Amino acid sequence: MGKIIVGNWKMNVGPLAQVRDWARAISLPSAVEVVLSPSTPFLSTVSAAVEGTNVKVSAQDCSSQPEGAFTGDVSASMLKDVGVSYVIIGHSERRQGHGETSDDVRKKAAQAIKAGLIPIICIGESEQERTQGKAMDVVRKQVMESIPDEATKGKILLAYEPVWAIGSGKTPSADDIRQMHGHILSVAAQRTGLAPERISVLYGGSVKADNAAGIMAVPGVAGVLVGGASLKLEEFNSILRAA
Ligand code: PGA
């Protein structure tokens, strides 16, 4: 299976004209699944700009509710309606900055699946948890609690994003990544009853042009979730070539 490369633009790319130019400037090795994740107001623009290519669009969050009186929230079915295929759920910037728990993540992921989206469920330990030797336990708990029952039927996409690696220029060693991805695969298989080949685990956190090939060569790494380096077109395109 080809690698999946997600460019998480966070709240960095705009205005509209720039978003459109960037979406069109991504060059596409055909065996790679490229996913762009712009801010909510630009989702339909990016969907239109990539129509007819193999680039897919991801939202950065969705509501845990199907519809109703939830001011400011956006439902998964609304995202689906404007051409979105994926949604990032439980990014550490949501877990930390907005107090989202694994319980919230599970409910959001359930809504995403019901609406026909593929949730990218993010998990990962903090620096303190790693130094205290708790990384495996913390991640096990997040995986068990964040995957909804709805995910036990099809396929599942997770992203291992150690919090201390995001935007820091630091990455775990290849050995640490291999060990953690194997752990996540086995916990997710236990949680869902799915065969391991139906579970994909991306790596995210300081992926750059110069480390992408090495990280993607680690067994158990199905692709990468890229933040900062997705904001530099040249660099992002060279990560796609590495895939
Ligand atoms: P980074 O961010 O590539 O800038 O470390 C990754 C992410 O937060 O998804």
Side-chain angles (χ1 to χ4, degrees):
M1 204 184 82
K3 299 287 186 194
I4 303 168
I5 314 293
V6 185
N8 177 10
W9 288 350
K10 308 192 179 183
M11 205 169 68
N12 288 309
V13 184
L16 193 57
Q18 187 190 20
V19 169
R20 198 179 289 124
D21 285 352
W22 281 33
R24 288 183 181 144
I26 302 301
S27 49
L28 310 165
S30 60
V32 179
E33 172 102 336
V34 185
V35 182
L36 296 179
S37 190
S39 297
T40 310
F42 305 134
L43 287 166
S44 45
T45 302
V46 174
S47 306
V50 302
E51 209 182 323
T53 73
N54 62 346
V55 178
K56 300 280 197 307
V57 182
S58 174
Q60 297 177 10
D61 183 33
C62 72
S63 174
S64 60
Q65 302 298 321
E67 63 181 4
F70 302 102
T71 302
D73 287 354
V74 177
S75 74
S77 60
M78 291 170 183
L79 297 172
K80 176 79 180 169
D81 201 28
V82 297
V84 168
S85 308
Y86 290 83
V87 54
I88 298 171
I89 312 254
H91 190 282
S92 65
E93 287 152 17
R94 303 286 322 166
R95 289 182 187 260
Q96 291 186 334
H98 296 265
E100 283 185 15
T101 62
S102 291
D103 209 37
D104 300 319
V105 172
R106 188 180 64 252
K107 290 179 185 154
K108 290 180 174 204
Q111 289 303 327
I113 293 168
K114 285 185 198 161
L117 301 178
I118 301 171
I120 304 170
I121 299 173
C122 300
I123 58 216
E125 81 285 359
S126 68
E127 179 143 48
Q128 195 188 23
E129 287 158 349
R130 175 152 287 257
T131 25
Q132 291 173 346
K134 296 182 187 157
M136 291 294 193
D137 289 344
V138 166
V139 168
R140 159 179 286 278
K141 189 164 187 291
Q142 287 178 344
V143 172
M144 291 303 279
E145 293 176 357
S146 301
I147 297 177
D149 288 345
E150 284 75 2
T152 56
K153 296 181 186 77
K155 284 187 185 172
I156 175 149
L157 184 55
L158 296 152
Y160 171 53
E161 297 215 308
V163 179
W164 52 272
I166 295 173
S168 65
K170 293 188 268 185
T171 53
S173 67
D175 232 30
D176 285 343
I177 294 176
R178 185 184 46 73
Q179 203 185 6
M180 187 58 94
H181 278 236
H183 177 61
I184 293 168
L185 277 168
S186 86
V187 177
Q190 184 192 333
R191 162 71 186 99
T192 59
L194 290 172
E197 57 272 16
R198 306 191 75 143
I199 304 168
S200 300
V201 187
L202 309 179
Y203 169 81
S206 295
V207 175
K208 309 276 180 228
D210 59 8
N211 63 15
I215 289 171
M216 284 188 272
V218 174
V221 176
V224 286
L225 209 162
V226 186
S230 73
L231 305 175
K232 300 172 202 145
L233 280 182
E234 267 307 297
E235 182 158 14
F236 191 61
N237 279 331
S238 80
I239 293 173
L240 297 184
R241 285 193 297 274

